[in-house]
PDB file of all heavy atoms in Angstrom:
ATOM      1  N   ALA A  58      -9.959  28.409  21.910  1.00 90.00           N
ATOM      2  CA  ALA A  58     -10.505  28.039  23.215  1.00 90.00           C
ATOM      3  C   ALA A  58     -11.344  26.766  23.112  1.00 90.00           C
ATOM      4  O   ALA A  58     -11.266  25.865  23.960  1.00 90.00           O
ATOM      5  CB  ALA A  58     -11.345  29.191  23.768  1.00 90.00           C
ATOM      6  N   ASP A  59     -12.141  26.670  22.045  1.00 90.00           N
ATOM      7  CA  ASP A  59     -12.968  25.481  21.831  1.00 90.00           C
ATOM      8  C   ASP A  59     -12.094  24.252  21.580  1.00 90.00           C
ATOM      9  O   ASP A  59     -12.390  23.158  22.063  1.00 90.00           O
ATOM     10  CB  ASP A  59     -13.904  25.717  20.644  1.00 90.00           C
ATOM     11  CG  ASP A  59     -14.746  24.492  20.325  1.00 90.00           C
ATOM     12  OD1 ASP A  59     -15.518  24.052  21.199  1.00 90.00           O
ATOM     13  OD2 ASP A  59     -14.611  23.965  19.204  1.00 90.00           O
ATOM     14  N   ALA A  60     -11.008  24.440  20.839  1.00 88.00           N
ATOM     15  CA  ALA A  60     -10.107  23.323  20.532  1.00 88.00           C
ATOM     16  C   ALA A  60      -9.426  22.805  21.790  1.00 88.00           C
ATOM     17  O   ALA A  60      -9.236  21.592  21.946  1.00 88.00           O
ATOM     18  CB  ALA A  60      -9.063  23.775  19.511  1.00 88.00           C
ATOM     19  N   LYS A  61      -9.055  23.699  22.693  1.00 90.00           N
ATOM     20  CA  LYS A  61      -8.419  23.280  23.943  1.00 90.00           C
ATOM     21  C   LYS A  61      -9.370  22.410  24.766  1.00 90.00           C
ATOM     22  O   LYS A  61      -8.985  21.375  25.308  1.00 90.00           O
ATOM     23  CB  LYS A  61      -7.995  24.507  24.752  1.00 90.00           C
ATOM     24  CG  LYS A  61      -6.813  25.255  24.169  1.00 90.00           C
ATOM     25  CD  LYS A  61      -6.471  26.481  25.012  1.00 90.00           C
ATOM     26  CE  LYS A  61      -5.283  27.232  24.419  1.00 90.00           C
ATOM     27  NZ  LYS A  61      -4.958  28.463  25.183  1.00 90.00           N
ATOM     28  N   GLU A  62     -10.626  22.839  24.847  1.00 91.00           N
ATOM     29  CA  GLU A  62     -11.611  22.088  25.609  1.00 91.00           C
ATOM     30  C   GLU A  62     -11.902  20.744  24.940  1.00 91.00           C
ATOM     31  O   GLU A  62     -12.028  19.709  25.597  1.00 91.00           O
ATOM     32  CB  GLU A  62     -12.901  22.911  25.724  1.00 91.00           C
ATOM     33  CG  GLU A  62     -13.971  22.298  26.626  1.00 91.00           C
ATOM     34  CD  GLU A  62     -13.554  22.256  28.093  1.00 91.00           C
ATOM     35  OE1 GLU A  62     -12.616  22.998  28.478  1.00 91.00           O
ATOM     36  OE2 GLU A  62     -14.167  21.480  28.854  1.00 91.00           O
ATOM     37  N   SER A  63     -11.977  20.761  23.607  1.00 90.00           N
ATOM     38  CA  SER A  63     -12.250  19.536  22.859  1.00 90.00           C
ATOM     39  C   SER A  63     -11.104  18.542  22.994  1.00 90.00           C
ATOM     40  O   SER A  63     -11.329  17.335  23.135  1.00 90.00           O
ATOM     41  CB  SER A  63     -12.482  19.881  21.380  1.00 90.00           C
ATOM     42  OG  SER A  63     -12.855  18.743  20.645  1.00 90.00           O
ATOM     43  N   PHE A  64      -9.885  19.040  22.975  1.00 90.00           N
ATOM     44  CA  PHE A  64      -8.722  18.165  23.146  1.00 90.00           C
ATOM     45  C   PHE A  64      -8.735  17.536  24.535  1.00 90.00           C
ATOM     46  O   PHE A  64      -8.475  16.334  24.689  1.00 90.00           O
ATOM     47  CB  PHE A  64      -7.435  18.959  22.949  1.00 90.00           C
ATOM     48  CG  PHE A  64      -6.185  18.139  23.091  1.00 90.00           C
ATOM     49  CD1 PHE A  64      -5.701  17.397  22.023  1.00 90.00           C
ATOM     50  CD2 PHE A  64      -5.493  18.081  24.296  1.00 90.00           C
ATOM     51  CE1 PHE A  64      -4.567  16.610  22.148  1.00 90.00           C
ATOM     52  CE2 PHE A  64      -4.357  17.307  24.432  1.00 90.00           C
ATOM     53  CZ  PHE A  64      -3.883  16.573  23.353  1.00 90.00           C
ATOM     54  N   LYS A  65      -9.058  18.332  25.517  1.00 90.00           N
ATOM     55  CA  LYS A  65      -9.077  17.868  26.906  1.00 90.00           C
ATOM     56  C   LYS A  65     -10.100  16.754  27.110  1.00 90.00           C
ATOM     57  O   LYS A  65      -9.849  15.784  27.847  1.00 90.00           O
ATOM     58  CB  LYS A  65      -9.390  19.052  27.826  1.00 90.00           C
ATOM     59  CG  LYS A  65      -9.400  18.722  29.303  1.00 90.00           C
ATOM     60  CD  LYS A  65      -9.698  19.977  30.125  1.00 90.00           C
ATOM     61  CE  LYS A  65      -9.762  19.666  31.610  1.00 90.00           C
ATOM     62  NZ  LYS A  65     -10.071  20.891  32.398  1.00 90.00           N
ATOM     63  N   LYS A  66     -11.249  16.857  26.408  1.00 91.00           N
ATOM     64  CA  LYS A  66     -12.323  15.889  26.617  1.00 91.00           C
ATOM     65  C   LYS A  66     -12.308  14.729  25.620  1.00 91.00           C
ATOM     66  O   LYS A  66     -12.672  13.605  25.976  1.00 91.00           O
ATOM     67  CB  LYS A  66     -13.680  16.603  26.528  1.00 91.00           C
ATOM     68  CG  LYS A  66     -13.949  17.580  27.656  1.00 91.00           C
ATOM     69  CD  LYS A  66     -15.325  18.216  27.504  1.00 91.00           C
ATOM     70  CE  LYS A  66     -15.640  19.159  28.665  1.00 91.00           C
ATOM     71  NZ  LYS A  66     -16.978  19.786  28.523  1.00 91.00           N
ATOM     72  N   GLY A  67     -11.883  15.003  24.384  1.00 91.00           N
ATOM     73  CA  GLY A  67     -12.048  14.000  23.345  1.00 91.00           C
ATOM     74  C   GLY A  67     -10.793  13.308  22.870  1.00 91.00           C
ATOM     75  O   GLY A  67     -10.863  12.192  22.333  1.00 91.00           O
ATOM     76  N   VAL A  68      -9.618  13.947  23.052  1.00 92.00           N
ATOM     77  CA  VAL A  68      -8.383  13.364  22.531  1.00 92.00           C
ATOM     78  C   VAL A  68      -7.525  12.782  23.647  1.00 92.00           C
ATOM     79  O   VAL A  68      -7.145  11.600  23.601  1.00 92.00           O
ATOM     80  CB  VAL A  68      -7.571  14.406  21.735  1.00 92.00           C
ATOM     81  CG1 VAL A  68      -6.240  13.798  21.280  1.00 92.00           C
ATOM     82  CG2 VAL A  68      -8.363  14.891  20.534  1.00 92.00           C
ATOM     83  N   ALA A  69      -7.211  13.610  24.632  1.00 90.00           N
ATOM     84  CA  ALA A  69      -6.304  13.166  25.691  1.00 90.00           C
ATOM     85  C   ALA A  69      -6.781  11.886  26.390  1.00 90.00           C
ATOM     86  O   ALA A  69      -6.001  10.931  26.539  1.00 90.00           O
ATOM     87  CB  ALA A  69      -6.087  14.296  26.700  1.00 90.00           C
ATOM     88  N   PRO A  70      -8.061  11.793  26.819  1.00 90.00           N
ATOM     89  CA  PRO A  70      -8.504  10.552  27.476  1.00 90.00           C
ATOM     90  C   PRO A  70      -8.425   9.331  26.551  1.00 90.00           C
ATOM     91  O   PRO A  70      -8.071   8.238  26.991  1.00 90.00           O
ATOM     92  CB  PRO A  70      -9.963  10.860  27.854  1.00 90.00           C
ATOM     93  CG  PRO A  70     -10.058  12.346  27.873  1.00 90.00           C
ATOM     94  CD  PRO A  70      -9.128  12.818  26.796  1.00 90.00           C
ATOM     95  N   PHE A  71      -8.755   9.525  25.279  1.00 94.00           N
ATOM     96  CA  PHE A  71      -8.722   8.423  24.318  1.00 94.00           C
ATOM     97  C   PHE A  71      -7.301   7.898  24.152  1.00 94.00           C
ATOM     98  O   PHE A  71      -7.061   6.685  24.171  1.00 94.00           O
ATOM     99  CB  PHE A  71      -9.270   8.913  22.970  1.00 94.00           C
ATOM    100  CG  PHE A  71      -9.453   7.841  21.945  1.00 94.00           C
ATOM    101  CD1 PHE A  71     -10.700   7.261  21.730  1.00 94.00           C
ATOM    102  CD2 PHE A  71      -8.381   7.390  21.181  1.00 94.00           C
ATOM    103  CE1 PHE A  71     -10.874   6.264  20.770  1.00 94.00           C
ATOM    104  CE2 PHE A  71      -8.540   6.399  20.218  1.00 94.00           C
ATOM    105  CZ  PHE A  71      -9.796   5.829  20.025  1.00 94.00           C
ATOM    106  N   VAL A  72      -6.348   8.823  23.971  1.00 92.00           N
ATOM    107  CA  VAL A  72      -4.952   8.422  23.781  1.00 92.00           C
ATOM    108  C   VAL A  72      -4.420   7.703  25.015  1.00 92.00           C
ATOM    109  O   VAL A  72      -3.734   6.676  24.909  1.00 92.00           O
ATOM    110  CB  VAL A  72      -4.081   9.646  23.445  1.00 92.00           C
ATOM    111  CG1 VAL A  72      -2.600   9.274  23.439  1.00 92.00           C
ATOM    112  CG2 VAL A  72      -4.479  10.229  22.093  1.00 92.00           C
ATOM    113  N   LYS A  73      -4.723   8.229  26.184  1.00 92.00           N
ATOM    114  CA  LYS A  73      -4.241   7.609  27.421  1.00 92.00           C
ATOM    115  C   LYS A  73      -4.837   6.213  27.620  1.00 92.00           C
ATOM    116  O   LYS A  73      -4.165   5.304  28.101  1.00 92.00           O
ATOM    117  CB  LYS A  73      -4.579   8.512  28.609  1.00 92.00           C
ATOM    118  CG  LYS A  73      -3.793   9.817  28.634  1.00 92.00           C
ATOM    119  CD  LYS A  73      -4.261  10.729  29.753  1.00 92.00           C
ATOM    120  CE  LYS A  73      -3.491  12.046  29.734  1.00 92.00           C
ATOM    121  NZ  LYS A  73      -3.978  12.998  30.773  1.00 92.00           N
ATOM    122  N   GLU A  74      -6.092   6.051  27.221  1.00 90.00           N
ATOM    123  CA  GLU A  74      -6.785   4.781  27.429  1.00 90.00           C
ATOM    124  C   GLU A  74      -6.382   3.727  26.404  1.00 90.00           C
ATOM    125  O   GLU A  74      -6.186   2.559  26.742  1.00 90.00           O
ATOM    126  CB  GLU A  74      -8.301   5.001  27.363  1.00 90.00           C
ATOM    127  CG  GLU A  74      -9.137   3.735  27.499  1.00 90.00           C
ATOM    128  CD  GLU A  74      -9.093   3.133  28.904  1.00 90.00           C
ATOM    129  OE1 GLU A  74      -8.752   3.873  29.859  1.00 90.00           O
ATOM    130  OE2 GLU A  74      -9.384   1.933  29.046  1.00 90.00           O
ATOM    131  N   TYR A  75      -6.243   4.136  25.138  1.00 92.00           N
ATOM    132  CA  TYR A  75      -6.104   3.148  24.073  1.00 92.00           C
ATOM    133  C   TYR A  75      -4.768   3.162  23.326  1.00 92.00           C
ATOM    134  O   TYR A  75      -4.515   2.243  22.534  1.00 92.00           O
ATOM    135  CB  TYR A  75      -7.232   3.333  23.046  1.00 92.00           C
ATOM    136  CG  TYR A  75      -8.610   3.184  23.624  1.00 92.00           C
ATOM    137  CD1 TYR A  75      -9.437   4.292  23.793  1.00 92.00           C
ATOM    138  CD2 TYR A  75      -9.089   1.932  24.016  1.00 92.00           C
ATOM    139  CE1 TYR A  75     -10.714   4.162  24.326  1.00 92.00           C
ATOM    140  CE2 TYR A  75     -10.362   1.789  24.560  1.00 92.00           C
ATOM    141  CZ  TYR A  75     -11.171   2.908  24.717  1.00 92.00           C
ATOM    142  OH  TYR A  75     -12.427   2.766  25.258  1.00 92.00           O
ATOM    143  N   CYS A  76      -3.929   4.165  23.574  1.00 92.00           N
ATOM    144  CA  CYS A  76      -2.731   4.305  22.738  1.00 92.00           C
ATOM    145  C   CYS A  76      -1.402   4.224  23.485  1.00 92.00           C
ATOM    146  O   CYS A  76      -0.424   3.682  22.965  1.00 92.00           O
ATOM    147  CB  CYS A  76      -2.770   5.631  21.965  1.00 92.00           C
ATOM    148  SG  CYS A  76      -4.294   5.900  21.029  1.00 92.00           S
ATOM    149  N   LEU A  77      -1.348   4.797  24.700  1.00 91.00           N
ATOM    150  CA  LEU A  77      -0.050   4.966  25.364  1.00 91.00           C
ATOM    151  C   LEU A  77       0.618   3.658  25.773  1.00 91.00           C
ATOM    152  O   LEU A  77       1.843   3.608  25.914  1.00 91.00           O
ATOM    153  CB  LEU A  77      -0.198   5.865  26.594  1.00 91.00           C
ATOM    154  CG  LEU A  77      -0.449   7.350  26.321  1.00 91.00           C
ATOM    155  CD1 LEU A  77      -0.390   8.133  27.625  1.00 91.00           C
ATOM    156  CD2 LEU A  77       0.559   7.904  25.324  1.00 91.00           C
ATOM    157  N   GLU A  78      -0.158   2.618  25.929  1.00 88.00           N
ATOM    158  CA  GLU A  78       0.457   1.347  26.328  1.00 88.00           C
ATOM    159  C   GLU A  78       1.485   0.891  25.291  1.00 88.00           C
ATOM    160  O   GLU A  78       2.518   0.329  25.633  1.00 88.00           O
ATOM    161  CB  GLU A  78      -0.622   0.271  26.503  1.00 88.00           C
ATOM    162  CG  GLU A  78      -0.052  -1.066  26.972  1.00 88.00           C
ATOM    163  CD  GLU A  78      -1.116  -2.128  27.175  1.00 88.00           C
ATOM    164  OE1 GLU A  78      -2.319  -1.781  27.169  1.00 88.00           O
ATOM    165  OE2 GLU A  78      -0.756  -3.310  27.329  1.00 88.00           O
ATOM    166  N   CYS A  79       1.199   1.157  24.030  1.00 91.00           N
ATOM    167  CA  CYS A  79       2.119   0.766  22.955  1.00 91.00           C
ATOM    168  C   CYS A  79       2.864   1.948  22.349  1.00 91.00           C
ATOM    169  O   CYS A  79       3.885   1.765  21.676  1.00 91.00           O
ATOM    170  CB  CYS A  79       1.360   0.054  21.836  1.00 91.00           C
ATOM    171  SG  CYS A  79       0.605  -1.512  22.332  1.00 91.00           S
ATOM    172  N   HIS A  80       2.366   3.153  22.569  1.00 93.00           N
ATOM    173  CA  HIS A  80       2.945   4.338  21.922  1.00 93.00           C
ATOM    174  C   HIS A  80       3.195   5.441  22.947  1.00 93.00           C
ATOM    175  O   HIS A  80       2.704   6.568  22.815  1.00 93.00           O
ATOM    176  CB  HIS A  80       2.014   4.847  20.815  1.00 93.00           C
ATOM    177  CG  HIS A  80       1.697   3.821  19.772  1.00 93.00           C
ATOM    178  ND1 HIS A  80       2.634   3.357  18.876  1.00 93.00           N
ATOM    179  CD2 HIS A  80       0.539   3.143  19.498  1.00 93.00           C
ATOM    180  CE1 HIS A  80       2.067   2.453  18.078  1.00 93.00           C
ATOM    181  NE2 HIS A  80       0.811   2.297  18.446  1.00 93.00           N
TER     182      HIS A  80
END
Side-chain angles (χ1 to χ4, degrees):
D59 177 60
K61 288 179 180 178
E62 186 66 19
S63 185
F64 181 83
K65 182 179 178 181
K66 292 181 177 180
V68 176
F71 187 98
V72 172
K73 291 175 182 177
E74 177 70 21
Y75 301 108
C76 308
L77 288 187
E78 182 179 348
C79 296
H80 303 291

